[in-house]
Amino acid sequence: MSTRRVAGPEIERLIQLLAKLPGLGPRSARRAALHLVQKKDQLLIPLAEAMGVAVDQVGICSECGTVDTSDPCTICSDPRRDASTIVVVEDVSDLWALERASAVSAHYHVLGGTLSPLDGIGPDDLNISKLMERVESGGVNEVILAVNATVEGQTTAHFITDQLARFENVKVTRLAHGVPVGGELDYLDEGTLAQALRARTKF
Amino acid sequence: MSTRRVAGPEIERLIQLLAKLPGLGPRSARRAALHLVQKKDQLLIPLAEAMGVAVDQVGICSECGTVDTSDPCTICSDPRRDASTIVVVEDVSDLWALERASAVSAHYHVLGGTLSPLDGIGPDDLNISKLMERVESGGVNEVILAVNATVEGQTTAHFITDQLARFENVKVTRLAHGVPVGGELDYLDEGTLAQALRARTKF
């Protein structure tokens, strides 16, 4: 906090750990720590308890790879979801983002990253063989590759498509590219515009 | 997170509590929660422990009113600090901010707010009588009123100055007003500029 100590090391440790959260820098971590210790009953104690529960209960779903407090997870064990469609995502944050869009009521599969030979990340480092197992066990009609529109994401999509080619009854699809809803053409890159033109639809 | 559940209620509760931290909104709280549960060993467990320690050990210093894990606090019990000067601040965050500036090595007194008749906050709701006790017990030469340059802050400063008037040997001072270091005149309000002109010093 400064060369001189203004509080015990326990508070400085709390600040240092809070600063590791995404979205909090050193300054806002200090504010957050102060807020916590000044709202002990309303915030610090409940949050410490919620974290303790998370430490004890949160794990990885052995079916789809998402994080949850149950295994199989809330999604995999939801009978109202269409188990014949698997949406493949890179990360749990992508799964949560798609769920917020409420566009599909399917099952998911979290890869845990993308293929990246330069970083030494090969197929065995991703949750791909479990995906093959799930498709192989039957009942899957469609695999939607909802990976990021980056080079690594697309490379990973191509690899998985190749792997899934042997399942002739399984349709492999990917997200549409185009102009984001609410997006202004002037601010979009040429690649997106070219793709949006090529994939134009009847008005 | 959405109308449909994507994870157990324990994770949603963690997100809701994290969203109450200053600097984190609902979106960044979700990102923070995911980061925590995905970095269980490196971050979630240490942070949960640090919060547990804070729950058990953090309290209010009975001398100056700051938050710390010891009572009297790190500052009040530091023999290298000048105990004859007390810097009066509204809140602990102001104390921490002044300490970062390393401009003074004195003792502090945290009021816990400002006088605000409209909000029903009177002298008895602030940590003022303890300040009088500290000054009365002797050894104090100067009280620096480092309150905010707001109407409430200045009202509080005037009130404390009146209360301290009976201690004839105690000098009561306040922070200088003027142009912030690095500040551009064009962006400053008229009040600050007028005060900076009135209080001009020889170059």
Side-chain angles (χ1 to χ4, degrees):
Chain A
M1 216 163 343
S2 86
T3 46
R4 292 178 305 182
R5 287 260 294 280
V6 298
E10 299 85 356
I11 293 180
E12 305 209 6
R13 175 155 172 76
L14 181 61
I15 294 171
Q16 279 163 15
L17 287 167
L18 284 170
K20 291 185 182 172
L21 289 177
L24 286 184
R27 203 184 186 96
S28 45
R30 222 158 30 217
R31 231 177 5 240
L34 192 55
H35 194 76
L36 280 169
V37 298
Q38 287 185 324
K39 303 222 172 216
K40 214 165 173 172
D41 292 331
Q42 305 104 296
L43 193 52
L44 177 57
I45 292 175
L47 189 54
E49 281 171 359
M51 286 193 178
V53 170
V55 168
D56 292 339
Q57 299 186 16
V58 172
I60 306 292
C61 173
S62 57
E63 192 66 16
C64 74
T66 192
V67 293
D68 203 346
T69 45
S70 56
D71 184 13
C73 70
T74 308
I75 291 176
C76 286
S77 54
D78 184 346
R80 291 164 302 176
R81 284 177 183 265
D82 172 16
S84 71
T85 302
I86 295 180
V87 183
V88 176
V89 293
E90 292 178 18
D91 202 359
V92 179
S93 56
D94 300 328
L95 185 164
W96 288 6
L98 287 169
E99 279 297 301
R100 285 198 297 281
S102 299
V104 67
S105 179
H107 283 218
Y108 285 88
H109 196 83
V110 180
L111 296 175
T114 48
L115 293 176
S116 179
L118 284 177
D119 299 319
I121 300 174
D124 295 340
D125 301 307
L126 302 179
N127 192 16
I128 292 179
S129 59
K130 177 69 194 171
L131 175 63
M132 297 305 144
E133 263 179 54
R134 291 177 72 186
V135 176
E136 189 139 35
S137 69
V140 177
N141 298 326
E142 182 175 359
V143 173
I144 304 176
L145 299 172
V147 292
N148 289 332
T150 56
V151 173
E152 293 81 8
Q154 296 309 306
T155 307
T156 311
H158 280 294
F159 179 83
I160 294 175
T161 307
D162 286 348
Q163 298 282 302
L164 290 171
R166 62 188 167 106
F167 304 105
E168 286 176 9
N169 298 323
V170 177
K171 191 164 63 168
V172 180
T173 56
R174 63 166 193 174
L175 297 183
H177 289 308
V179 180
V181 175
E184 297 184 42
L185 300 193
D186 197 18
Y187 291 94
L188 284 173
D189 63 293
E190 291 78 10
T192 300
L193 285 176
Q195 178 62 31
L197 268 174
R198 275 196 298 272
R200 66 191 178 278
T201 54
K202 201 165 181 304
F203 195 65
Chain B
M1 217 163 344
S2 87
T3 47
R4 293 179 305 184
R5 286 258 296 277
V6 299
E10 300 85 356
I11 294 181
E12 305 209 7
R13 176 156 172 77
L14 182 62
I15 294 171
Q16 278 163 15
L17 287 166
L18 284 170
K20 292 185 183 172
L21 289 177
L24 286 184
R27 203 185 185 96
S28 46
R30 223 159 29 217
R31 229 176 10 238
L34 191 56
H35 194 76
L36 280 169
V37 298
Q38 287 186 323
K39 303 222 173 216
K40 214 165 172 172
D41 292 331
Q42 304 102 298
L43 192 51
L44 177 58
I45 293 175
L47 189 54
E49 283 172 358
M51 287 193 178
V53 170
V55 169
D56 293 339
Q57 299 185 16
V58 172
I60 305 291
C61 173
S62 56
E63 192 67 15
C64 74
T66 192
V67 293
D68 203 346
T69 45
S70 57
D71 184 13
C73 70
T74 308
I75 291 176
C76 285
S77 54
D78 185 346
R80 290 164 302 177
R81 285 178 183 264
D82 171 17
S84 72
T85 302
I86 295 181
V87 183
V88 176
V89 292
E90 292 177 19
D91 202 358
V92 180
S93 56
D94 300 327
L95 185 163
W96 287 6
L98 287 168
E99 278 297 300
R100 285 200 296 282
S102 299
V104 66
S105 180
H107 283 218
Y108 285 89
H109 196 82
V110 180
L111 295 175
T114 48
L115 293 177
S116 178
L118 284 176
D119 300 320
I121 300 174
D124 294 340
D125 301 306
L126 301 180
N127 192 15
I128 292 179
S129 60
K130 177 69 194 175
L131 174 64
M132 297 306 144
E133 262 180 53
R134 290 177 72 184
V135 176
E136 189 139 35
S137 68
V140 177
N141 299 325
E142 181 174 0
V143 173
I144 304 176
L145 299 173
V147 291
N148 290 332
T150 56
V151 173
E152 292 82 8
Q154 297 308 307
T155 307
T156 311
H158 280 294
F159 179 84
I160 295 175
T161 306
D162 286 348
Q163 298 283 303
L164 290 171
R166 61 189 167 107
F167 304 106
E168 286 174 10
N169 298 324
V170 177
K171 190 164 64 168
V172 180
T173 56
R174 62 165 194 175
L175 297 182
H177 289 308
V179 179
V181 175
E184 296 184 43
L185 299 194
D186 197 17
Y187 291 94
L188 284 173
D189 63 292
E190 292 76 11
T192 302
L193 285 175
Q195 178 62 29
L197 268 174
R198 275 197 297 273
R200 65 191 180 277
T201 54
K202 201 164 180 308
F203 194 64

